[in-house]
């Protein structure tokens, strides 16, 4: 199903998705027990979760979504000869999204205001 090169990239991208867990452990003492994880259009927090959920469960959900996207892409018989650029985009979009969101969550929840560059990336 996967070429050897694709397996290595899948492992690397999966590990990249799990990096926020390591960062969460590093910043564990600086993060509040209850963390906002969703904001409305006006920027007010309207969804909260425990620190453990944000640090551990959200990256695992993203990892499961990542694997689902990869498996669906690989199983599509009509796309057997896929453009490598498209496959790499599917492979790396979830790690990019996961790590960007983790930076945003950890900056906001450590009591700091996010810089303009972080805010623009999220928007």
């Amino acid at each position: 199903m996967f070429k050897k090169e694709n397996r290595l990239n899948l492992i690397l991208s999966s590990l990249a998705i799990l990096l926020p867990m390591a960062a969460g452990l590093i910043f564990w003492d600086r993060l509040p027990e209850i963390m906002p994880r969703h904001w409305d259009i006006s920027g007010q927090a309207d969804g909260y979760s425990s620190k453990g959920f944000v640090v551990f469960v959200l990256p695992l959900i993203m990892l499961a979504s990542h694997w689902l996207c990869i498996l669906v892409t690989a199983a599509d018989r009509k796309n057997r000869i896929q453009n490598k650029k498209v496959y790499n985009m599917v492979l790396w979009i979830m790690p990019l999204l996961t790590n960007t969101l983790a930076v945003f969550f950890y900056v906001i929840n450590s009591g700091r205001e996010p810089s303009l560059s972080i805010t623009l990336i999220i928007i």
Side-chain angles (χ1 to χ4, degrees):
M1 184 163 159
F2 293 114
K3 296 178 190 173
K4 189 174 186 175
E5 176 186 330
N6 292 347
R7 286 184 188 152
L8 178 61
N9 285 330
L10 181 59
I11 291 168
L12 292 175
S13 63
S14 296
L15 289 174
I17 289 174
L18 298 178
L19 282 175
M21 286 181 174
L25 288 172
I26 291 169
F27 296 112
W28 188 263
D29 293 335
R30 297 181 195 164
L31 298 172
E33 289 302 316
I34 301 297
M35 298 173 57
R37 62 166 170 76
H38 189 271
W39 291 261
D40 64 17
I41 194 79
S42 65
Q44 297 299 315
D46 64 356
Y48 298 87
S49 291
S50 70
K51 176 173 35 177
F53 183 85
V54 172
V55 171
F56 299 111
V57 177
L58 287 181
L60 290 174
I61 291 170
M62 297 298 274
L63 181 63
S65 301
H66 176 63
W67 277 72
L68 180 64
C69 290
I70 295 298
L71 291 173
V72 167
T73 302
D76 186 3
R77 295 191 188 279
K78 294 179 183 175
N79 272 339
R80 280 294 179 209
I81 305 172
Q82 294 177 358
N83 184 327
K84 190 171 182 169
K85 290 180 183 180
V86 173
Y87 179 77
N88 283 330
M89 184 180 73
V90 171
L91 192 65
W92 289 101
I93 198 161
M94 200 64 75
L96 178 65
L97 179 63
T98 303
N99 283 284
T100 302
L101 289 173
V103 167
F104 185 74
F105 286 151
Y106 296 159
V107 167
I108 290 288
N109 286 296
S110 67
R112 296 190 173 126
E113 284 292 319
S115 69
L116 180 60
S117 59
I118 291 175
T119 305
L120 290 176
I121 288 172
I122 299 300
I123 293 173

